[in-house]
Amino acid sequence: GNWYDKKDTSKIELVDVLLMSAMGPPGGGRNDISTRMVRHFNIVSIDSFDDQTLTKIFSSIVDWHFGKGFDGSFVRLGKMLVMATMSVFKQAIINFLPTPSKSHYVFNLRDFSRVVKGVLLVPGSHMTEGDKLLRLWVHEVYRVFYD
């Protein structure tokens, strides 16, 4: 096969092309690709992060944010926020399995980060009490995981 210009249908010659793609594992609406296609590519695979790694990544981000203009108690609350978010995330993966009527029940690390990112949008001048942080976290969990 060849590539052609759409306007004048002249042949286009492609030279030194590098194709890079990404995909997730089959399931949840994603299909398996054939071995005839895979043989043309180098496969690089990354395992899922373990709980300790996720805690370290998101705790570092939350600690950095709460270190800028927040009361010192928010650093402790930030660690609890990450642990609670991880617990909700793991339970959502276990309990909310995709079905034909609820095919959107495919949770990944992006959903975890959306909860944390939503909480971190609040500036230190607007957050003075730990209870408000807890209410904001509950709101973000509902926004991301609630059906």
Side-chain angles (χ1 to χ4, degrees), residues 83-97 107 112 145:
M83 296 301 289
T85 304
M86 184 179 311
S87 177
V88 170
F89 174 68
K90 297 275 184 194
Q91 289 300 313
I93 289 172
I94 292 168
N95 295 321
F96 295 144
L97 299 174
F107 299 107
F112 188 109
F145 294 109

Side-chain angles (χ1 to χ4, degrees), residues 13-55:
E13 186 174 330
L14 302 176
V15 180
D16 292 332
V17 175
L18 175 66
L19 175 65
M20 182 178 274
S21 63
M23 62 181 293
R30 293 182 300 264
N31 297 327
D32 199 5
I33 57 174
S34 72
T35 54
R36 289 180 65 192
M37 178 73 168
V38 173
R39 69 186 171 134
H40 297 289
F41 295 95
N42 293 323
I43 308 296
V44 178
S45 177
I46 300 174
D47 283 338
S48 299
F49 295 118
D50 62 344
D51 292 352
Q52 183 180 4
T53 305
L54 286 177
T55 302

Side-chain angles (χ1 to χ4, degrees), residues 39 55 69 74 86 102 113 129:
R39 69 186 171 134
T55 302
F74 282 93
M86 184 179 311
K102 303 218 187 249
S113 68
E129 302 171 19

Side-chain angles (χ1 to χ4, degrees), residues 59-109:
S59 292
S60 299
I61 295 168
V62 169
D63 290 348
W64 173 79
H65 179 75
F66 286 146
K68 301 183 314 178
F70 285 85
D71 186 49
S73 64
F74 282 93
V75 174
R76 182 181 61 82
L77 289 173
K79 293 185 188 328
M80 292 170 49
L81 177 140
V82 171
M83 296 301 289
T85 304
M86 184 179 311
S87 177
V88 170
F89 174 68
K90 297 275 184 194
Q91 289 300 313
I93 289 172
I94 292 168
N95 295 321
F96 295 144
L97 299 174
T99 62
S101 64
K102 303 218 187 249
S103 60
H104 60 281
Y105 281 174
V106 180
F107 299 107
N108 57 32
L109 195 55

